[in-house]
Amino acid sequence: MAAEGAHADRSGHDHASTDHASSDQERVLGDLVSRLRAGGERVTTARRLVLQALLGAGQDHPSAEQLAASIQRTNPDVNLSTVYRTLEVLEGAGLIIRAGVGDGGATTYHVVDDPHHHAVCDRCGAVIVLPAGAFDAVVRRLDREHGFSARPSHLAVGGLCADCRR
């Protein structure tokens, strides 16, 4: 169990303080906003709120509906259609990636600055986060055998988790 003022991430690791995580999120948010501006996009309240909600989700990959619900807790005027349009702009700017690891294969999103992949259980929906280099051997083989230069940015591999295999 995490100590008072700390929290545990999905792997159960305790973190000393949410202040550190908060300052990291603010730094990453600042970097993303700068990249958005550098790409010629306006930095609107909705764009900032969606980026904050994505960063606040950590390793989770929220859907547009989940992002809207989270944002609407403190900003009820931001509607779902605004969130969808904002996600399109942020994806087009290369700041986020559209993924398909949500419940029932729902479209979910995550920030590009957190490269990783997933193993998703086809039966129960459990998601295992894999490191960015998990498919390096496949990338090398594609290059060696087919001359194909792959750049996997986000892969989801289906299968059965250990519990469902039993």
Side-chain angles (χ1 to χ4, degrees):
M1 178 66 70
E4 179 128 1
H7 67 282
D9 66 19
R10 293 176 78 189
S11 64
H13 294 105
D14 290 342
H15 297 273
S17 168
T18 57
D19 291 342
H20 180 67
S22 178
S23 66
D24 283 348
Q25 281 184 6
E26 288 301 317
R27 180 189 51 74
V28 173
L29 178 62
D31 291 346
L32 292 169
V33 165
S34 294
R35 288 170 49 194
L36 190 61
R37 268 194 198 107
E41 296 289 346
R42 292 182 308 125
V43 179
T44 65
T45 299
R47 292 173 185 179
R48 186 179 290 273
L49 289 170
V50 168
L51 286 169
Q52 284 175 320
L54 282 167
L55 291 170
Q59 288 291 328
D60 290 338
H61 293 59
S63 66
E65 292 81 5
Q66 291 168 325
L67 287 167
S70 173
I71 292 166
Q72 288 169 348
R73 285 188 206 111
T74 55
N75 297 275
D77 294 337
V78 177
N79 60 40
L80 181 58
S81 62
T82 300
V83 171
Y84 273 113
R85 285 191 307 273
T86 300
L87 289 167
E88 287 178 16
V89 169
L90 296 175
E91 184 179 14
L95 301 181
I96 66 170
I97 293 175
R98 181 187 315 229
V101 297
D103 293 335
T107 300
T108 59
Y109 301 86
H110 75 91
V111 175
V112 169
D113 287 353
D114 180 25
H116 61 275
H117 307 291
H118 300 97
V120 183
C121 182
D122 295 331
R123 188 172 296 153
C124 73
V127 176
I128 300 167
V129 177
L130 304 171
F135 296 98
D136 286 353
V138 174
V139 169
R140 287 190 301 274
R141 185 172 180 182
L142 283 169
D143 186 38
R144 183 178 64 248
E145 294 180 11
H146 304 282
F148 185 83
S149 177
R151 295 179 317 277
S153 58
H154 189 271
L155 297 175
V157 177
L160 294 176
C161 69
D163 290 340
C164 291
R165 287 181 63 188
R166 291 185 196 146

